[in-house]
Amino acid sequence: SALADEGGNAPVVIEDFESLDAWRVWPDAWGGKAELAEAEAPAVGNAAVRITAPGIIYRELAALDGRVAREPQRYKGLAFHVRGDGSGLYGALAIGPAGEGSWQHGFVSPRLTACVAYFPLKDTNWHRVVIPWEQFLAEGQHPGIAREGGFSPADIRVIRIGHRWKYWRNYHAFPRHHYEIDHIELVESLPETPEPERDDDAPLALRALGDVLAKLRAGEQVRILCVGDSITAGAGTTAGQRYWDLLQPRLRQHFGNEQIVVEGWGIGGATLLDMLPWMRWQMHIDPPDLVTLMFGTNDSNAYPPEFFGRCLEQYLDRTPAITDGRTAVVPFTTIPGLKDWYGKTDAYAQVVRQVAQRRELAYVDLNREFKARGEQAIEPRFADGAHLNAPAHEAAAPTGVQLLTERAGTGQ
């Protein structure tokens, strides 16, 4: 890396890409094997890197400039140059301390130590991106970078470009895409971002569910985004049979409103922690009126309920900032499965109840509805031990209609 002389005023450049010899392709990435090449025309200097994804490329670094160790608090984030491919996809850049836990991004485990940020690829010209530390989100059970108990900017020893995801949304294969990156450096100041114009100075909050109901009743356009894991993505069903596919016609019929649009964003294998970095992609450009959120099944294999609760709180806290307060969120409790899964997710469902009740949010208690019937009675509703089949999705759709009619006056 082209590091500035200690004591100098030049930026701390942690990767200039003048040589790609230290860069490696992770051959076992779940999303596929990335392609690593030199960019045709760099943004800075004589060379830059091009990744064709999905897949992961990474490199390990030597110790950073001594200035970073002496004054880590001086640095507020990372800046780098990007040239996208014009697609609506997002690239990913992660940083972490030494060890494979920062570059081997498999399913969530305590070993994962990196923090990741996503950025759009729409712009096909070189442009500089500045990402503050708070937008680098932890991929494991640690506080993150430049946070109490987390790792310091001086600890950065790994850079990873790309992500592990094999599927995009609802089991569509992740499209091949490419982007170029050049000149990664630490920054001491962040660009000023204008505050959104609002009628008052009250802090941003989640949108009230009652506001969404009023739009539904008035015949206005309403967009609902159903976010979740493989259950939302449709494992055990085919396209058109998922609960969110069925929710749209039922809502349109109930409200006499043909402007209601319901979409799904389910990622097979995802935990709520995995979903946090995707939030800007999902909601920043075109904020939905309402998000339904159903996680916990994969989370129960990855981390304890207390950490799941912190992830849920973070999701709810970040939503109004990303959407400028234009999105309501309705959590769904984690559903039970069969046999070993029947009681495994109960603690995660209880976390959803507790967080929703504390925040006075309306929520859908699918866990309680399933448990009231008993394991033997719900067994025909499962395609396997964890995933619902088509009849179960069809049965779940009216619950969403009920929420938006009978329950919208509760909570918010």
Side-chain angles (χ1 to χ4, degrees):
S1 302
L3 298 180
D5 294 334
E6 288 194 22
N9 294 319
V12 175
V13 180
I14 65 174
E15 177 57 88
D16 58 17
F17 297 102
E18 293 300 290
S19 170
L20 301 183
D21 291 346
W23 282 90
R24 300 287 181 266
V25 174
W26 183 28
D28 299 323
W30 188 55
K33 187 174 180 179
E35 296 176 9
L36 167 65
E38 186 175 312
E40 291 184 3
V44 180
N46 299 310
V49 71
R50 173 185 171 116
I51 176 175
T52 302
I56 290 169
I57 64 174
Y58 70 98
R59 72 152 296 175
E60 298 184 18
L61 304 169
L64 300 189
D65 188 309
R67 289 175 293 169
V68 188
R70 290 194 297 270
E71 297 182 276
Q73 71 283 353
R74 175 176 171 182
Y75 302 96
K76 310 304 181 185
L78 279 188
F80 50 94
H81 291 78
V82 177
R83 180 159 59 185
D85 61 1
S87 69
L89 301 175
Y90 273 50
L93 187 144
I95 52 174
E100 70 175 17
S102 286
W103 60 261
Q104 185 176 335
H105 188 184
F107 288 92
V108 174
S109 78
R111 295 183 299 108
L112 288 174
T113 54
C115 294
V116 66
Y118 281 73
F119 47 89
L121 304 180
K122 195 70 175 177
D123 193 339
T124 57
N125 297 311
W126 280 113
H127 57 285
R128 190 169 183 259
V129 174
V130 180
I131 302 180
W133 297 135
E134 57 263 28
Q135 290 183 18
F136 278 92
L137 300 183
E139 295 180 319
Q141 298 177 56
H142 58 94
I145 183 169
R147 295 178 173 88
E148 184 178 356
F151 67 92
S152 162
D155 297 325
I156 297 173
R157 294 292 183 276
V158 173
I159 305 172
R160 192 187 80 230
I161 301 173
H163 55 73
R164 73 172 174 91
W165 296 106
K166 179 179 181 179
Y167 300 114
W168 179 32
R169 51 192 291 187
N170 310 324
Y171 284 118
H172 292 294
F174 217 105
R176 294 286 283 177
H177 58 287
H178 66 267
Y179 50 103
E180 298 169 356
I181 291 184
D182 199 1
H183 203 76
I184 304 174
E185 66 181 34
L186 303 183
V187 294
E188 298 182 28
S189 61
L190 301 172
E192 292 187 8
T193 55
E195 290 291 330
E197 294 185 6
R198 305 204 304 275
D199 295 335
D200 54 53
D201 294 328
L204 284 171
L206 288 168
R207 185 176 192 172
L209 184 57
D211 290 347
V212 180
L213 179 63
K215 289 187 67 176
L216 290 168
R217 287 175 170 164
E220 299 177 17
Q221 183 174 350
V222 173
R223 179 168 166 260
I224 300 171
L225 184 63
C226 299
V227 177
D229 52 29
S230 56
I231 297 168
T232 300
T237 67
T238 59
Q241 297 179 327
R242 298 158 295 202
Y243 69 87
W244 53 269
D245 288 312
L246 304 170
L247 183 58
Q248 178 174 297
R250 283 167 168 77
L251 286 173
R252 286 182 174 185
Q253 180 180 12
H254 182 90
F255 289 101
N257 180 355
E258 293 297 312
Q259 296 196 80
I260 300 171
V261 176
V262 181
E263 303 172 5
W265 199 312
I267 306 295
T271 67
L272 185 50
L273 176 67
D274 288 321
M275 197 57 60
L276 292 175
W278 288 58
M279 292 178 65
R280 288 183 177 276
W281 185 357
Q282 292 170 333
M283 297 191 288
H284 179 61
I285 302 300
D286 184 18
D289 296 281
L290 171 65
V291 165
T292 69
L293 193 68
M294 183 164 66
F295 284 94
T297 301
N298 296 313
D299 309 70
S300 69
N301 279 334
Y303 41 68
E306 295 77 15
F307 186 79
F308 177 66
R310 292 199 291 272
C311 292
L312 180 55
E313 298 275 12
Q314 190 174 1
Y315 191 100
L316 297 173
D317 287 340
R318 295 186 72 224
T319 296
I322 291 172
T323 69
D324 193 21
R326 288 182 282 176
T327 300
V329 177
V330 172
F332 285 29
T333 59
T334 313
I335 65 169
L338 303 177
K339 297 182 180 179
D340 292 344
W341 287 100
Y342 188 68
K344 186 176 182 179
T345 61
D346 286 353
Y348 297 80
Q350 181 63 12
V351 166
V352 175
R353 294 185 192 104
Q354 291 171 342
V355 171
Q357 291 167 1
R358 184 168 59 251
R359 289 177 174 252
E360 298 185 322
L361 295 178
Y363 65 98
V364 176
D365 201 338
L366 290 178
N367 179 277
R368 186 161 289 158
E369 292 186 20
F370 275 68
K371 284 300 185 77
R373 291 174 171 84
E375 183 176 6
Q376 187 174 357
I378 67 174
E379 185 173 356
R381 296 293 178 91
F382 281 82
D384 53 30
H387 299 103
L388 302 176
N389 57 21
H393 278 261
E394 186 172 2
T399 305
V401 178
Q402 181 184 14
L403 168 78
L404 293 172
T405 54
E406 299 177 9
R407 306 184 194 178
T410 65
Q412 293 182 297

